Each structure stands twice: as structure tokens, then as C-alpha cells.
Amino acid sequence: MPIYDYACGDCGHEFETLVRSGTTPECPTCHSRKLDKLLSVFATTTVSERTAPAMPSPCGSCPNAGGPGSCAFNS
Ligand SMILES: [Zn+2]
């Protein structure tokens, strides 16, 4: 589910909330639904790039990656 940033049009409170399709978020402070949707500054692509190195480690630097002897096939 996407997370959106909103700024309340009534009290100015800024918050982020999960938004399901078909539902209307409301301000958690004053329960107004006069919300301005903010552009999210979170770049999800950088997170996925950071968590996907997927490069096999050289033998000298993988002591516990897959258990002892996990790098034996590199011979
Ligand atoms: Zn509000």
C-alpha cells in the first residue's frame, strides 16, 4: 500500500498515512478532509538498489555468509 504525505488545509498539520484505494484520509488532529497531497520525498528506488547487491563474495570475505564451507565451490 502506498504511503502519502498530506498537509491539512484547516489546521496545517502535516502527516503521512497509508491510503487504500476508495478511502479518503482525514487529518488525525482535527479530522478535516480538506487535505493537500504532498509529493513524497522518499525515493524507493534507492532502497531497492541498496538491498540488492547480489554479488558473490570472494572467498576471503565470506566467513559466515552461507555457513562454513559455503565458498568451497569457488575452490
Ligand atoms: Zn487538521
Side-chain angles (χ1 to χ4, degrees), residues 55-75:
M55 290 293 292
S57 302
C59 186
S61 63
C62 59
N64 294 311
S70 64
C71 58
F73 55 87
N74 287 334
S75 66

Side-chain angles (χ1 to χ4, degrees), residues 8-13 27 29-32:
C8 178
D10 282 339
C11 72
H13 181 66
C27 175
T29 302
C30 69
H31 301 287
S32 170

Side-chain angles (χ1 to χ4, degrees), residues 22-56:
T23 63
T24 302
E26 64 177 27
C27 175
T29 302
C30 69
H31 301 287
S32 170
R33 293 193 173 179
K34 219 171 68 176
L35 304 176
D36 292 324
K37 192 173 178 181
L38 304 177
L39 291 177
S40 177
V41 296
F42 296 107
T44 54
T45 53
T46 57
V47 175
S48 57
E49 285 175 3
R50 191 181 307 153
T51 55
M55 290 293 292

